[in-house]
Structure formats: structure tokens, C-alpha cells
Amino acid sequence: DGAVAIESPVSTARPGKYTPRGNFRISERVRSGKISTIYGVGMPYWMRLSGTVFGVHAGYLPGYPASAGCIRLPGDALGRGASQPRCW
């Protein structure tokens, strides 16, 4: 419907990595227990972008691009959004 589900600061790909731009659908949701197969770290509130390897998940936001490609949001933004029908 074009409505904004979450408005929040984010951290995207650090130098040498890539975060895709565009319009995506959430094709998979995992509230807890999702672990990065590359880095072995937890990715709470994981939401896969249109069947790609990229997603949105809760994580630390250092104030600059720092992810391996996913879009990190603060946990409180996704914790609230994850209970809303548009997001979760």
C-alpha cells in the first residue's frame, strides 16, 4: 500500500561490501535464532529481501556503514515493528 512500516536510522554495507537498493518484498521472517552462516553471529528479527541473500535485521549501529551487506536497524525499532502486521 506504499505506507512506511518503519522509519529508523540504519547501518548498511561497509567499504568493500554491497547493500542493494530498490524495492523489495519480505520473503522470509525469522524472529529469533537466525545465525549468519558467514560470520556466526545472531541476526534477530531477520527479514529476507525478495529471496536474495540480503536482509534487514536488528544489530549494532555504530553511526557509519558497517555491515557485510544487510540493513541493520536498532532492535527496539524492529521489536516494535515486528508486532505490526505491515512489518511482521
Side-chain angles (χ1 to χ4, degrees):
D1 66 2
V4 174
I6 297 173
E7 188 170 320
S8 173
V10 300
S11 184
T12 56
R14 63 184 174 266
K17 300 293 183 177
Y18 169 75
T19 297
R21 296 175 187 223
N23 296 310
F24 303 92
R25 293 191 178 275
I26 302 301
S27 57
E28 178 186 3
R29 292 177 177 87
V30 180
R31 191 179 300 259
S32 64
K34 178 76 171 173
I35 305 294
S36 166
T37 57
I38 298 171
Y39 300 102
V41 297
M43 298 184 297
Y45 296 107
W46 164 258
M47 292 182 280
R48 185 179 302 278
L49 300 177
S50 297
T52 68
V53 298
F54 298 98
V56 176
H57 62 84
Y60 174 66
L61 274 61
Y64 52 85
S67 82
C70 287
I71 301 165
R72 291 186 202 165
L73 281 87
D76 62 339
L78 283 171
R80 272 194 322 267
S83 65
Q84 298 173 0
R86 273 188 301 203
C87 181
W88 201 258

